[in-house]
Amino acid sequence: MAGILSLVRRIYLSFYNWIVFFGWFQVFYLAVKTLKESGHEHVYDAVEKPLLLAQTAAILEILHGLVGLVRSPVSATLPQISSRLYVMWGILWSFPELRSHILVSSLVISWSVTEIIRYSFFGTKEAFGSAPSWLLWLRYSTFLLLYPSGITSEVGLIYSALPYITESGKYSLRMPNKWNFSFDYYYAGLVALGIYVPGSPHMYGYMLGQRKKALSKSKKE
Amino acid sequence: MKVLVVTRSGKELIKGGLQLNDSATVADLQEAIHKRTRKYYPSRQRLTLPVQPGSKERPTVLHYQKSLSEYTKGSTSELTVVFKDLGPQVKYSTLFFFEYLGPLLLYPIFYYFPVYKYFGYKEERVIHPVQTYALYYWCFHYFKRIMETFFVHRFSHATSPISNVFRNCAYYWSFGAFIAYFVNHPLYTPVSDLQMKIGFGFGIVCQVANFYCHLLLRNLRSPSGNGGYQIPRGFLFNIVTCANYTTEIYQWLGFNIATQTVAGYVFMVVAAGIMTNWALGKHRRLKKLFDGKEGRPKYPRRWVILPPFL
């Protein structure tokens, strides 16, 4: 019984990782193609569908961690996925004025390259039992560049969105109301920006530690 | 007897160990360790009996009032204890005082001072009666808590790591400001007069009940700080293990019925969650201790914290 369950788990995770890999590959391909042919202003429109799908699918990964299907701690995946979903749905999708910004291209490229490597790494591991050392190296080295470029894009886009947030009043609740509650999406944006200040060095440091562990372990084998 | 004190990594904390009377207590041992190590005053020390490596069982913690011979299992005249530094400690009364001081001082600031000017609102505002009563209710509540801390509660010799001061103050002070902001807001919408009266009336009754619960709990413990567990009895304790938490939660419910803010309800839910966690632990401990065997009474069937739910 345990053997069959573990096999089902492997098949499910292989499917999951390769399907999402394909989604991100589409994002990357369409982004580069559009950059070459039409320019950075059109990148969002070209990648919107696969981007929204592939990134939102990542919610499943929180579930995987919770039920113990994968080893990654929920404490590490939850902040990562939340920030991605916030930037994608809460900023880019909600405020079309930002879509022609050049930072959208750097964002989409940083995210898609990282995810292509990450999902193919896990997809290979689940399907074949192990991943080639060059893929392991890529997984634990590309973040050195892509974290800074991705974070800069995210912060830049949130910052650029602020005037549009105030102007539109979207997602904000004003008083007076029966429940004496108010929520200002603009201030929430400022708080989000504030979180990046301690959050980014923390995540980068965590990945540096993971890199050391993973690459030294593979050297020993 | 000779006592060897080692750290969890196996190193000897005190070279050569300590020599103590055979009749010495754990407290005496703690004093001796303090004398030799200066930095580690007794409340910072956690002393346990060593466990077999790989064993999953929880180590036995040495209780300060017990005699050392109780832990040597009679046979040897040498005892090895494992030392852990709990970090700088503060008294519970100190911790409680600071965490309650915040809400007591911060809330009136939102009522009396033109704070909302800095949030972009006009300075003139109308103050509704409910807002004034809420101020009195809130301040009375935290004043009561501080008084109970110094005059009612009997702490079981326990201290708390100093990091808890920051954590607990962040919790109380943030929620205090969060609720004060909305209740005293210039655009605050009051509920009906009847609802306000029901809310505050119910809340006051629960606060009085809560105080009585604290008195009953106090009388379970002797002034010498014995710290042992007793089955709570009398008043609501006959039906609920943690009647003190029950009355506290319902008291906040009263406040929220009267003031009706999302912020107040969120605070109540979070506080109820925290207290439920504590209540479950206490209930289990009591049931385990009072199992009805060897002459011990059996813990009666009771609600844990919130009848009719838990």
Side-chain angles (χ1 to χ4, degrees), chain B residues 6-310:
Chain B
V6 295
T7 62
R8 283 169 307 154
S9 54
K11 277 192 22 217
E12 268 198 283
L13 181 72
I14 296 173
K15 288 240 175 12
L18 294 165
Q19 271 299 348
L20 283 123
N21 275 332
D22 282 357
S23 58
T25 58
V26 173
D28 295 328
L29 172 60
Q30 286 176 325
E31 274 303 312
I33 294 175
H34 181 205
K35 258 206 168 104
R36 286 286 290 272
T37 57
R38 292 282 64 190
K39 181 159 109 154
Y40 301 127
Y41 42 88
S43 52
R44 248 178 107 152
Q45 304 173 20
R46 189 178 108 113
L47 301 173
T48 52
L49 290 178
V51 281
Q52 301 289 45
S55 153
K56 289 267 176 72
E57 57 184 69
R58 300 179 67 186
T60 318
V61 180
L62 270 56
H63 189 268
Y64 78 101
Q65 276 182 331
K66 289 218 168 105
S67 167
L68 286 177
S69 53
E70 282 189 57
Y71 295 104
T72 56
K73 303 179 181 81
S75 50
T76 51
S77 58
E78 184 178 284
L79 176 68
T80 304
V81 298
V82 181
F83 166 91
K84 177 180 170 180
D85 175 21
L86 295 173
Q89 302 283 304
V90 297
K91 282 173 36 194
Y92 263 121
S93 47
T94 312
L95 173 64
F96 284 10
F97 175 71
F98 282 109
E99 53 186 47
Y100 300 152
L101 190 68
L104 185 61
L105 297 180
L106 286 170
Y107 190 107
I109 292 177
F110 286 88
Y111 181 88
Y112 287 113
F113 293 104
V115 168
Y116 298 93
K117 192 168 70 177
Y118 302 101
F119 288 100
Y121 294 95
K122 295 200 305 280
E123 255 203 78
E124 317 83 54
R125 59 187 248 241
V126 168
I127 296 185
H128 305 277
V130 63
Q131 292 172 305
T132 309
Y133 300 139
L135 170 76
Y136 297 157
Y137 185 99
W138 176 276
C139 292
F140 170 73
H141 180 75
Y142 282 101
F143 175 73
K144 166 180 166 286
R145 286 221 205 175
I146 292 178
M147 290 294 107
E148 286 172 334
T149 300
F150 289 117
F151 300 112
V152 179
H153 296 318
R154 282 213 173 112
F155 299 103
S156 54
H157 198 257
T159 54
S160 192
I162 201 171
S163 55
N164 278 354
V165 174
F166 302 110
R167 181 193 72 169
N168 290 15
C169 285
Y171 168 77
Y172 277 102
W173 295 23
S174 305
F175 264 118
F178 184 50
I179 295 171
Y181 173 83
F182 285 108
V183 181
N184 297 295
H185 202 282
L187 297 176
Y188 176 80
T189 309
V191 296
S192 74
D193 209 52
L194 177 64
Q195 188 172 329
M196 173 188 84
K197 291 190 171 120
I198 290 175
F200 284 135
F202 178 64
I204 291 174
V205 166
C206 292
Q207 286 210 64
V208 173
N210 176 263
F211 178 68
Y212 187 55
C213 287
H214 288 155
L215 286 179
L216 286 172
L217 287 174
R218 168 193 170 85
N219 292 326
L220 284 182
R221 282 201 168 133
S222 63
S224 58
N226 188 291
Y229 288 108
Q230 314 260 19
I231 298 181
R233 285 189 209 282
F235 193 46
L236 295 171
F237 286 107
N238 290 331
I239 38 173
V240 161
T241 298
C242 292
N244 48 322
Y245 296 154
T246 314
T247 47
E248 176 68 14
I249 295 167
Y250 281 128
Q251 166 286 126
W252 280 127
L253 180 62
F255 178 82
N256 286 325
I257 288 173
T259 53
Q260 195 154 299
T261 64
V262 166
Y265 277 104
V266 168
F267 175 61
M268 183 186 78
V269 169
V270 172
I274 294 173
M275 284 187 263
T276 301
N277 224 11
W278 295 341
L280 284 169
K282 179 159 189 194
H283 189 87
R284 277 190 206 121
R285 236 179 292 134
L286 286 171
K287 279 184 81 171
K288 194 164 165 215
L289 193 58
F290 297 102
D291 48 12
K293 303 184 182 136
E294 292 171 8
R296 288 187 291 267
K298 184 150 163 62
Y299 195 75
R301 267 197 89 196
R302 283 178 183 169
W303 294 104
V304 178
I305 180 173
L306 275 178
F309 305 110
L310 182 56

Side-chain angles (χ1 to χ4, degrees), chain A residues 171-190:
Chain A
Y171 307 135
S172 296
L173 184 65
R174 300 254 170 268
M175 276 168 84
N177 59 67
K178 201 166 93 146
W179 285 99
N180 292 306
F181 186 64
S182 67
F183 179 73
D184 197 331
Y185 197 56
Y186 175 83
Y187 285 111
L190 290 181

